[in-house]
Amino acid sequence: MLLDSIRTQLDSLSKSERKVALAVLAAPSSTVSQNITALAKSAQVSEPTVVRFCRTLGYDGWHEFKLKLAQGLALALPGANEQPAPDDLAADLVNKICSRSINTLLDLRNNLKPELVQKALDILSRANKIEFYGQGSSGFVAADAQHKFFRSGVPTVAYTDPAIHSIAAALLREGDAVVAISQRGNNPALTRSAKLARRGGADVIVLAPSGTPLAEIATLFIPIDLVFAIDPYTPISARLAYLVVIDVLAVGLALQRGPEFRKKMQNAQKALQEFDMQFDSFIG
């Protein structure tokens, strides 16, 4: 939710903006019910500082920020912020893990900017080839992206080895596109490869948290601001958010390329089903 985004960006805020952030985090429900003057007084800053804080987070101003905060608090499910405990029953685990994943997706839906998605689709639709880079758990997202995108009719590959994506990035040229995926945004090898790709003229779409080294390199940056260090299970929900963004881009690209292309995709799916039927008959 929005509160997670604020926590993620605390270190990148100015001293006065950080005061506003801490005031919001200390009493989010009160923030929703009060006006900008009351929040400024609570944070011991000026009203223009509150507006700058809202804009730093990507909102037009106080009213849009307040609306998003209210939506997030209203949609949040019980159990989402509770850590799994050793004495939890199965029912407790189901509630906590599912609620956390649902809240992650609700937050993504409320904060993923459609105009950024459209700009990404425009880049991908005109690309000569698309390469996905990711390491660790983000490497799984990159591999999933390659699986979804290879049917787009554009040459597509995923690289999860830092040495390999470094070489690949150095060979890219204008008209190529990279989607760099990182749940932390500070991986040195991934950042270096993104720089190499930009140097060669390729577009680099970055999926990562705001205020990170990788985000600063992007041709187009799509922020995914989530909290990771709460407990060992949080990255599972975070990865789900990244997978959904990949799904949005894959489906969007298929739709943008028109009905003739979708017919080709349907033919490919039909061929796969026929193969599965033949294989089942063979082993049966």
Side-chain angles (χ1 to χ4, degrees), residues 14-26:
S14 68
K15 184 177 180 180
S16 56
E17 290 173 347
R18 184 182 173 88
K19 289 182 178 180
V20 181
L22 292 175
V24 173
L25 292 173

Side-chain angles (χ1 to χ4, degrees), residues 131-135 139 142-143 157-162 164-166 168-169 190:
E131 296 187 351
F132 296 93
Y133 301 165
Q135 293 175 220
V157 67
Y159 295 121
T160 60
D161 183 293
I164 300 301
H165 63 60
S166 176
L190 194 59

Side-chain angles (χ1 to χ4, degrees), residues 20-93:
V20 181
L22 292 175
V24 173
L25 292 173
S29 297
S30 297
T31 300
V32 170
S33 62
Q34 63 191 7
N35 57 30
I36 189 172
T37 303
L39 178 60
K41 183 177 180 180
S42 174
Q44 297 182 332
V45 299
S46 65
E47 291 183 22
T49 297
V50 176
V51 175
R52 285 198 302 272
F53 163 76
C54 297
R55 290 176 177 169
T56 297
L57 291 180
Y59 300 100
D60 291 336
W62 163 249
H63 292 294
E64 185 184 6
F65 170 82
K66 185 176 177 180
L67 176 62
K68 290 294 183 181
L69 179 60
Q71 289 174 342
L73 293 175
L75 291 171
L77 297 178
N81 298 316
E82 298 177 23
Q83 296 186 25
D87 59 347
D88 277 346
L89 300 176
D92 299 320
L93 294 175

Side-chain angles (χ1 to χ4, degrees), residues 207-230:
L207 309 183
S210 301
T212 57
L214 189 60
E216 295 175 0
I217 300 167
T219 306
L220 176 68
F221 172 53
I222 299 179
I224 303 180
D225 295 315
L226 304 166
V227 170
F228 300 98
I230 297 175

